Amino acid sequence: MAEPPAEMEKVDVSAEIERPTGPSEMEKIRNKRLAKLQNQTAASQKETSTSPEGRSTTSTTSDPVDINSSITREAQEAPKPKTNISGNTAQSSLSPTTPNPFSQLGINLENNAAPKINISRTQAGSGNPGLDSISRGQTSKGLPASENTIETWEDKALSNIFRVSLSEDIKKDTHAHILHYLPSVRAELEEQRAPVRMSTAVLEQAILEAASNLPPVKKSPLLNPSPALEYLLGCWKRVVRQIRGVGKLADAAKTEILKEAKRLCMSYCMFAVTMPDMFGEDAPSINPLTAHLLVDPDDDRGICYDFITEAVRRFGEDETVKEALVGAIEDLSRQLSKITMVDNYKPYIHQWPNSIKALGNLTRFPPIINALTQSPMFLPSNIRAQDIEQKTLLGPFFRISPLQGAVTTTYFNSPKTKDKAVVVNAQRALKMSSQTLQTELQDIVNQIIRSSKESRDKMLNWFALTVNLNHKRRALQVDKKTVSSDGFMYNVTVGRVDIDYLRRNPRVDIKDETKLNADQKASDTFYSGKATGSTNFISEVFFLTVAAHHYGSETIAATLDTLEKDIKHIEKQLAQIEGDRSKWLGTPSWPMYEKALKEITGQRDKAMSYQMALQGVLFDDQGQGRSMGFLRFVTVWLLRLLSPNHDYPTKGISLPLPTVEPDIIACLPEYFLENITKNYLFIFRHMPQIVGSTQIEEIVTLCITLLQTSNYIKNPYLKSSLVTILFTGIWPSTTRTRGILGDVLNSMGFALEHLLHALMKFYIEVENTGTHTQFFDKFNIRYEIFQVIKCIWPNAVYRQRLAQESKLNVDFFIRFVNLLLNDVTFVLDESLSGFKKIHDLTQELQNNELEESFREEKEALLAQTKKSAKSYMQLANETVAMLKLFTEALADAFTMPEIVQRLADMLDYNLEALAGPKSNNLKVVDPESYHFNPKALLSDIVDVYLNLKTKKPFIEAVARDGRSYKPDTFKGATWILKRFSLRAPDEIRAWEGLMDEFKKAYEEDLQLEEDLGDIPEEFQDPLLYSLMADPVILPTSKISIDRSTIRSHLLSDPNDPFNRSPLKIEDVIDNVELREQIMAFKAQKKAEKVAAAADVMDTSAG
């Protein structure tokens, strides 16, 4: 007999059988399991192999089962003529009605001797090579009729399905598959003098013997493979293919044989999982099914639809089947919790063209979903936030992400020097992986939610657990070890919303969340009143998704901003350390220096790698488009709540909104609005191309509505983000010169009617934000307001709106202009004085004899001064430009008594700084780096003068400025204008004419002051020390002051300037008596002047 090929494994079989005298351990186990099997019906129910969706499944293989093929002897050496194997036979039967299969096979067993085998040439033309090649007990004249019996078919079918042989000499089939010799089965048949053939009667013993005597699995891709389970899964695939092969036209006997084989195959597969000792295997540490779930379902080692369908059908009969499947998925989850995206994670959750892998495959079966959601691992109690992604059943599947540390360092190693094209390609690859992953996770979640109400509730509870335990992710300082990771939270983020959901014991915990405009006590009181009724599923998903956005994607976007700042700071440190290299080189501290440099470089590279990965994930048009689609829904929902009749968008918003804010809005978590503002800011800055026109109009409507009704929001930073959205939306781009919002702001009816008033109102409000940084915050916010106003100013409709404000809402307009003047005064003074300081410090540092410590101190002061001067100068340029626009359009409005003197004083003071004798002190190196252009600034200030050149109150106010009005300063300004051609000749002439008007008014004012002589103290304004024109009495301090003076004071300070008690302009009392006394005083002085002039004339005449 020839040896098998070297690459084929030999099966160790025994030719001689020793009959045991008593039951072995294996038989005891077998008997225990068979007792259970005997309770199940032997006749299988009618089955069809279909997927849960109702479609037929097919399983392709390159090695189909052919029951007509014969079993060849391994002893054949070379191609030879086809032969028949025959021998003498003797009748032997188990029962009178059972034909002897041994006789049919042509085998004669005498005294248990081995059968004799005769080899003879096959007759040509039999038409069935398979049957011709193996024909036991026939002559060369042809096939006996007994060859076509059901017993013969059964023997061949079961032998091929389970790859077993009852003959020691037959070791391979025609496809060269190794056959497992079953000596114990053969011996038992011989002992009972039954036909030596395979049948369903001996199939259980055959399966047990074959699966218990398998060699160890070699070269398997699986971890700790089970030989018995691998063998039985292959048998399962073959029996399923055979059932399909015989089709519906097969006779009932064949169908029943195959169904029984299928039933036993499934049973023993489960025995291999739950009782490996039954096959002589040790209990594994991991569920044996786990590894097979990762194999392609069409592979013999894989878990196919038919297998899962049959397993699910048995859930009601055998609880161990359910436990086996659930246990496999639990182990799958545990394994996945230890790997990253750069490991071989794809088989766990990805779907490919011809297969559905692991969890996605199993969750298509509702009974499995229900079993999974009942697992203690699905929703464990007392779990910490940082453990959700590793110790819950679904957590590891959501944990896989491009943002895992190993992924970022693998894709973006050496980020500082990596080519940009390589970075873009790596980000594109991660983006595609992330998209695929999220699509499949969405499909899995969708299957769980749709399975049943119980599983849906468990899924929602899992999301709620994730959200509620991750509140700390929005803290200012986050300990990454106490919260879920960015990647996990990003994957979690994915007309019938009931606002009362939050008052019905919601899954989302909002108790500790900051509310839009309610403190903790008011919020607790409101939510303690429980709403009646039940919550619909849409509301559940809506509120969970809003919370998930807050703790997930929006937090990650904020992380990107933080990373950019951190990287700049680290690079600044690196530059400083590398600049000191020469100091440490060659010193004993050099190794420490190198170590510190290496550590900081590593920190920078790690931060940059993570930044690149974040950009790859976040700059995803598809993902961000879905996010914006949801947040657009949130935007419309908020506008509907704000609308008094809750009829938006059927009807537009009508402003102003009610003064008293509804509790349902005041007690809403502020992250509902914050999600919207943060998301739109991110999109406007990085991905404006994905925003649609309808979304633009909705966000503009929301911003204007809440800016004009800002008392509905408590958080000043949240309010200011509404302005920032408008500001960011007007940034010019290559395709839109006015940004993404510019055209809408200039054409949308709601904006034309309400935007300007809303901006002016918030400009006033930010004067006092209540925060410790309010003084500096207001300048940043007002800078953004100026930019928006500049964008809309060319539109005549907005200029008309401003004129209406100045006439119909006078107090409001005066407050706005007063604050504008305050800002111009302050920022110009700070920036110009800063330049003088920069000039002086630069001169000092040129002294080479300065001590090192003193020099370092001066250098630090210079750096800080430069930074401040640059910031203030930017705002000064915008503020002066805004003043120029307003005075050009509304000259009369700026001559109001409350405004005009402050405006004149401010202009005179800054004109002196720019054109006076000390203007040379403003010279600094590289003024452009500070946005400082003194000539352009002087030109803008001159424009403001010229805009008001025909207004007598303004001319008189300039002349009365005793501190800064100096004719020589105006002459200096004229010289600069002419020298640098800053104005056309006609404008120069207009400027010189205005100078003459100022000089004339100044001389008249001096004359008036001389005529009045010493003004009684009681007639003087206590703040300005000028003669009062319209005195009023302050109600609490009882001080008399000019009306224009106190009105101007109250614009920036709502308190009595003398005792700090609250004061409104409506509360002041006209001092009629004092006014009459002042008028009498002026009349008297005028009469005295006239009389004196007459005396002079009389004297002259005489």
Side-chain angles (χ1 to χ4, degrees):
M1 182 181 297
E3 292 294 326
E7 68 271 17
M8 302 299 293
E9 297 179 9
K10 296 182 179 180
V11 180
D12 185 16
V13 296
S14 174
E16 299 295 329
I17 307 296
E18 287 188 16
R19 306 198 180 279
T21 58
S24 65
E25 284 299 319
M26 185 181 302
E27 289 175 335
K28 292 179 181 179
I29 297 172
R30 170 182 172 275
N31 292 336
K32 179 172 63 173
R33 302 305 294 178
L34 291 183
K36 183 174 185 178
L37 284 173
Q38 290 171 359
N39 294 329
Q40 301 178 7
T41 175
S44 302
Q45 300 175 354
K46 184 177 181 180
E47 302 170 6
T48 58
S49 180
T50 60
S51 69
E53 290 83 355
R55 63 178 184 273
S56 297
T57 58
T58 60
S59 182
T60 59
T61 179
S62 60
D63 183 21
V65 177
D66 182 6
I67 66 168
N68 293 318
S69 65
S70 60
I71 304 176
T72 62
R73 300 180 61 185
E74 190 176 353
Q76 288 181 304
E77 298 177 355
K80 294 181 180 180
K82 297 179 181 178
T83 59
N84 287 337
I85 303 176
S86 61
N88 298 325
T89 66
Q91 284 281 344
S92 176
S93 63
L94 294 174
S95 65
T97 60
T98 304
N100 188 344
F102 291 86
S103 174
Q104 297 168 13
L105 292 173
I107 298 177
N108 181 24
L109 296 179
E110 296 180 359
N111 300 323
N112 296 327
K116 296 180 180 179
I117 301 175
N118 296 324
I119 302 177
S120 60
R121 194 175 294 275
T122 304
Q123 285 187 351
S126 67
N128 193 335
L131 292 178
D132 289 345
S133 63
I134 301 179
S135 180
R136 302 174 184 173
Q138 69 179 35
T139 66
S140 61
K141 295 180 180 180
L143 294 172
S146 60
E147 189 70 22
N148 295 321
T149 64
I150 188 64
E151 289 80 6
T152 303
W153 183 92
E154 179 182 33
D155 177 37
K156 293 177 180 178
L158 297 180
S159 297
N160 280 325
I161 289 171
F162 292 93
R163 291 181 180 169
V164 295
S165 171
L166 295 178
S167 172
E168 183 179 4
D169 294 332
I170 302 175
K171 298 182 178 180
K172 292 186 179 180
D173 62 13
T174 54
H175 298 289
H177 295 132
I178 295 177
L179 302 179
H180 306 287
Y181 175 52
L182 307 177
S184 296
V185 176
R186 179 185 178 92
E188 188 168 330
L189 289 171
E190 290 175 347
E191 181 181 2
Q192 298 177 4
R193 302 196 63 78
V196 181
R197 64 176 177 80
M198 285 298 299
S199 66
T200 55
V202 298
L203 185 54
E204 290 188 59
Q205 184 177 351
I207 293 173
L208 184 60
E209 183 175 355
S212 300
N213 292 281
L214 296 169
V217 179
K218 295 181 179 180
K219 299 180 180 180
S220 173
L222 307 183
L223 181 65
N224 300 323
S226 164
L229 184 58
E230 280 206 20
Y231 164 71
L232 290 167
L233 284 174
C235 296
W236 169 268
K237 294 295 181 64
R238 291 188 288 274
V239 73
V240 169
R241 288 194 291 265
Q242 184 59 51
I243 290 174
R244 279 195 206 100
V246 299
K248 296 181 179 179
L249 299 179
D251 58 61
K254 291 182 179 180
T255 300
E256 291 304 317
I257 290 170
L258 293 176
K259 285 186 176 182
E260 178 65 6
K262 179 183 176 184
R263 183 185 71 82
L264 292 174
C265 191
M266 170 58 73
S267 298
Y268 276 86
C269 279
M270 288 303 159
F271 293 162
V273 174
T274 59
M275 293 189 64
D277 54 341
M278 182 176 183
F279 304 96
E281 298 179 4
D282 296 330
S285 58
I286 298 176
N287 188 305
L289 277 178
T290 301
H292 294 276
L293 288 172
L294 310 183
V295 181
D296 191 298
D298 289 340
D299 189 286
D300 274 358
R301 293 185 299 268
I303 305 296
C304 63
Y305 261 117
D306 300 281
F307 185 92
I308 300 174
T309 302
E310 175 65 18
V312 169
R313 190 184 66 79
R314 295 193 179 199
F315 274 13
E317 303 171 4
D318 190 351
E319 190 69 22
T320 60
V321 177
K322 182 191 298 184
E323 293 172 357
L325 278 177
V326 173
I329 301 171
E330 290 175 344
D331 282 344
L332 190 69
S333 176
R334 294 186 187 98
Q335 289 182 0
L336 189 60
S337 69
K338 300 175 184 177
I339 67 174
T340 67
M341 184 172 272
V342 290
D343 298 317
N344 183 25
Y345 82 101
K346 293 182 179 179
Y348 288 82
I349 48 182
H350 273 221
Q351 301 178 8
W352 299 109
N354 297 320
S355 64
I356 300 177
K357 298 298 182 183
L359 190 62
N361 189 355
L362 294 171
T363 52
R364 278 155 176 76
F365 295 84
I368 295 181
I369 292 175
N370 292 334
L372 289 177
T373 56
Q374 297 300 320
S375 165
M377 192 176 172
F378 190 88
L379 206 63
S381 58
N382 300 323
I383 192 170
R384 299 178 301 174
Q386 62 268 33
D387 294 332
I388 296 176
E389 59 189 281
Q390 291 184 312
K391 296 184 179 180
T392 64
L393 189 68
L394 294 180
F397 295 93
F398 283 83
R399 175 177 171 268
I400 291 294
S401 166
L403 302 182
Q404 291 174 300
V407 181
T408 61
T409 54
T410 299
Y411 276 78
F412 305 106
N413 58 330
S414 303
K416 187 67 176 177
T417 57
K418 189 176 287 292
D419 185 82
K420 289 185 178 180
V422 176
V423 172
V424 170
N425 287 334
Q427 289 175 334
R428 186 179 295 116
L430 288 182
K431 187 184 302 180
M432 293 175 63
S433 298
S434 181
Q435 289 173 349
T436 303
L437 173 65
Q438 289 167 24
T439 299
E440 293 170 358
L441 290 174
Q442 182 182 7
D443 184 54
I444 291 169
V445 170
N446 191 43
Q447 294 291 342
I448 295 175
I449 286 176
R450 292 175 180 271
S451 175
S452 66
K453 184 180 184 304
E454 291 74 17
S455 62
R456 183 182 73 191
D457 289 343
K458 286 293 184 69
M459 188 72 253
L460 294 177
N461 286 338
W462 184 84
F463 279 121
L465 176 74
T466 300
V467 169
N468 294 334
L469 292 185
N470 277 285
H471 284 194
K472 292 181 180 179
R473 282 180 56 81
R474 297 297 293 185
L476 293 177
Q477 298 294 331
V478 181
D479 183 356
K480 295 290 186 181
K481 296 179 181 179
T482 63
V483 295
S484 299
S485 65
D486 288 340
F488 172 79
M489 292 303 297
Y490 186 76
N491 289 331
V492 168
T493 311
V494 286
R496 290 187 56 200
V497 177
D498 184 1
I499 185 60
D500 284 332
Y501 166 82
L502 296 174
R503 300 173 64 199
R504 292 197 189 102
N505 298 317
R507 285 183 170 87
V508 180
D509 182 9
I510 63 167
K511 180 177 175 59
D512 296 329
E513 291 293 343
T514 305
K515 307 306 186 294
L516 273 178
N517 199 21
D519 56 24
Q520 190 66 47
K521 182 178 180 181
S523 173
D524 292 344
T525 302
F526 174 74
Y527 285 113
S528 64
K530 299 301 180 182
T532 58
S534 59
T535 299
N536 58 57
F537 177 66
I538 293 176
S539 299
E540 290 269 17
V541 175
F542 174 79
F543 285 96
L544 273 174
T545 308
V546 172
H549 265 80
H550 179 58
Y551 298 113
S553 56
E554 301 309 323
T555 303
I556 298 170
T559 300
L560 183 61
D561 292 337
T562 303
L563 267 178
E564 292 176 358
K565 297 176 184 177
D566 291 345
I567 291 171
K568 288 181 180 179
H569 178 70
I570 294 173
E571 289 192 324
K572 185 177 179 181
Q573 282 185 303
L574 272 176
Q576 184 177 355
I577 293 175
E578 289 176 344
D580 294 337
R581 181 182 295 270
S582 58
K583 296 180 181 179
W584 302 99
L585 186 62
T587 67
S589 300
W590 174 253
M592 295 178 61
Y593 170 85
E594 283 190 314
K595 182 180 179 181
L597 184 62
K598 184 177 180 181
E599 287 179 356
I600 297 179
T601 303
Q603 292 176 11
R604 182 202 61 193
D605 289 350
K606 183 178 180 181
M608 292 185 69
S609 297
Y610 194 62
Q611 179 191 42
M612 292 173 180
L614 274 176
Q615 291 170 341
V617 170
L618 292 176
F619 297 167
D620 173 16
D621 288 5
Q622 179 181 334
Q624 292 294 348
R626 287 197 303 264
S627 179
M628 280 210 74
F630 172 73
L631 289 173
R632 179 195 172 192
F633 181 70
V634 181
T635 302
V636 174
W637 180 77
L638 270 179
L639 286 170
R640 192 178 185 87
L641 278 183
L642 291 167
S643 175
N645 297 321
H646 304 300
D647 51 6
Y648 184 89
T650 305
K651 294 182 180 180
I653 294 287
S654 179
L655 297 180
L657 296 180
T659 305
V660 179
E661 182 179 9
D663 289 340
I664 196 67
I665 297 176
C667 295
L668 197 67
E670 69 176 23
Y671 64 65
F672 276 78
L673 180 59
E674 186 179 11
N675 281 352
I676 297 171
T677 59
K678 296 288 187 183
N679 184 260
Y680 273 90
L681 284 173
F682 180 84
I683 297 301
F684 283 2
R685 287 169 178 165
H686 303 291
M687 309 169 67
Q689 71 277 4
I690 72 172
V691 186
S693 58
T694 305
Q695 292 170 315
I696 292 175
E697 291 185 0
E698 289 162 351
I699 190 61
V700 168
T701 301
L702 183 66
C703 289
I704 294 174
T705 299
L706 291 177
L707 284 174
Q708 190 153 325
T709 321
S710 56
N711 59 299
Y712 276 30
I713 306 172
K714 179 173 58 176
N715 185 343
Y717 299 109
L718 188 55
K719 295 178 189 180
S720 66
S721 66
L722 300 169
V723 174
T724 306
I725 287 178
L726 300 176
F727 165 66
T728 308
I730 62 171
W731 285 357
S733 64
T734 53
T735 57
R736 298 175 178 180
T737 57
R738 294 194 293 185
I740 194 171
L741 294 184
D743 292 339
V744 174
L745 297 181
N746 281 282
S747 61
M748 181 180 171
F750 189 78
L752 294 173
E753 184 176 358
H754 300 292
L755 175 59
L756 186 61
H757 180 84
L759 292 174
M760 294 172 67
K761 182 176 184 297
F762 196 62
Y763 186 99
I764 296 170
E765 184 178 328
V766 296
E767 181 69 19
N768 297 289
T769 62
T771 64
H772 67 283
T773 58
Q774 67 178 17
F775 183 77
F776 301 100
D777 292 337
K778 69 178 181 181
F779 292 122
N780 294 327
I781 298 169
R782 286 172 176 171
Y783 174 84
E784 295 177 351
I785 291 175
F786 290 151
Q787 299 305 309
V788 178
I789 292 178
K790 284 172 64 176
C791 176
I792 63 176
W793 192 251
N795 191 324
V797 175
Y798 284 110
R799 295 198 296 274
Q800 293 171 5
R801 291 287 177 192
L802 184 63
Q804 291 176 4
E805 293 287 353
S806 67
K807 295 175 182 178
L808 303 179
N809 200 351
V810 177
D811 287 344
F812 174 80
F813 180 80
I814 291 176
R815 290 186 64 196
F816 172 76
V817 173
N818 182 70
L819 292 173
L820 179 64
L821 295 178
N822 285 348
D823 288 350
V824 174
T825 303
F826 176 80
V827 296
L828 272 176
D829 184 57
E830 286 294 316
S831 54
L832 296 181
S833 62
F835 293 137
K836 181 181 181 303
K837 195 172 184 178
I838 292 171
H839 177 271
D840 294 341
L841 286 170
T842 304
Q843 294 292 327
E844 287 185 51
L845 289 170
Q846 291 178 355
N847 182 3
N848 296 327
E849 297 180 358
L850 283 177
E851 294 182 5
E852 187 64 25
S853 59
F854 188 69
R855 178 177 294 277
E856 290 179 357
E857 181 182 342
K858 292 292 182 180
E859 287 176 346
L861 180 59
L862 178 61
Q864 180 60 41
T865 305
K866 286 181 176 181
K867 182 179 179 181
S868 300
K870 180 179 180 179
S871 299
Y872 284 127
M873 196 65 239
Q874 280 183 284
L875 187 59
N877 290 333
E878 297 301 327
T879 312
V880 172
M882 195 59 48
L883 184 63
K884 175 182 170 182
L885 293 177
F886 285 177
T887 54
E888 181 183 15
L890 301 171
D892 288 333
F894 284 86
T895 61
M896 296 179 183
E898 298 85 355
I899 297 174
V900 67
Q901 191 61 56
R902 296 196 65 238
L903 174 61
D905 293 349
M906 181 274 296
L907 291 172
D908 292 346
Y909 176 81
N910 289 291
L911 186 72
E912 183 181 15
L914 292 169
K918 296 183 179 180
S919 59
N920 287 334
N921 293 336
L922 300 179
K923 290 183 178 180
V924 292
V925 178
D926 190 18
E928 292 79 10
S929 64
Y930 306 102
H931 307 282
F932 178 44
N933 185 340
K935 300 181 188 65
L937 183 59
L938 175 64
S939 179
D940 285 344
I941 290 177
V942 168
D943 278 337
V944 177
Y945 278 107
L946 293 174
N947 289 339
L948 302 172
K949 65 179 181 294
T950 62
K951 307 303 175 183
K952 185 176 180 181
F954 173 71
I955 295 173
E956 292 176 346
V958 171
R960 280 199 301 267
D961 180 13
R963 181 184 65 167
S964 301
Y965 172 71
K966 298 179 180 66
D968 289 343
T969 299
F970 283 82
K971 291 179 181 179
T974 305
W975 181 81
I976 295 172
L977 293 174
K978 290 179 178 180
R979 180 185 177 187
F980 297 100
S981 301
L982 300 180
R983 281 289 177 272
D986 58 334
E987 292 177 315
I988 294 292
R989 286 192 295 272
W991 171 250
E992 290 175 337
L994 182 59
M995 290 170 51
D996 292 341
E997 292 292 330
F998 290 151
K999 184 177 181 181
K1000 180 180 178 182
Y1002 175 71
E1003 292 172 349
E1004 290 177 353
D1005 191 65
L1006 285 178
Q1007 185 61 50
L1008 177 61
E1009 184 177 341
E1010 182 179 343
D1011 292 342
L1012 291 176
D1014 292 333
I1015 301 174
E1017 185 175 350
E1018 62 270 20
F1019 294 169
Q1020 295 181 18
D1021 184 280
L1023 294 181
L1024 301 181
Y1025 299 103
S1026 59
L1027 181 65
M1028 291 186 286
D1030 185 12
V1032 293
I1033 301 172
L1034 303 183
T1036 56
S1037 63
K1038 305 302 181 180
I1039 301 293
S1040 290
I1041 191 172
D1042 195 83
R1043 186 186 301 273
S1044 62
T1045 303
I1046 191 60
R1047 182 189 289 273
S1048 179
H1049 169 83
L1050 293 177
L1051 293 175
S1052 55
D1053 186 350
N1055 300 309
D1056 186 318
F1058 302 102
N1059 63 7
R1060 308 303 302 161
S1061 61
L1063 178 65
K1064 295 181 180 179
I1065 192 63
E1066 297 84 2
D1067 298 333
V1068 299
I1069 305 167
D1070 289 341
N1071 194 336
V1072 179
E1073 181 181 354
L1074 182 58
R1075 184 187 304 118
E1076 291 175 349
Q1077 291 176 5
I1078 293 174
M1079 291 175 65
F1081 171 75
K1082 292 170 67 176
Q1084 177 186 349
K1085 291 298 183 180
K1086 185 176 181 180
E1088 290 176 356
K1089 178 182 179 182
V1090 171
D1095 290 343
V1096 170
M1097 292 178 64
D1098 290 344
T1099 303
S1100 301

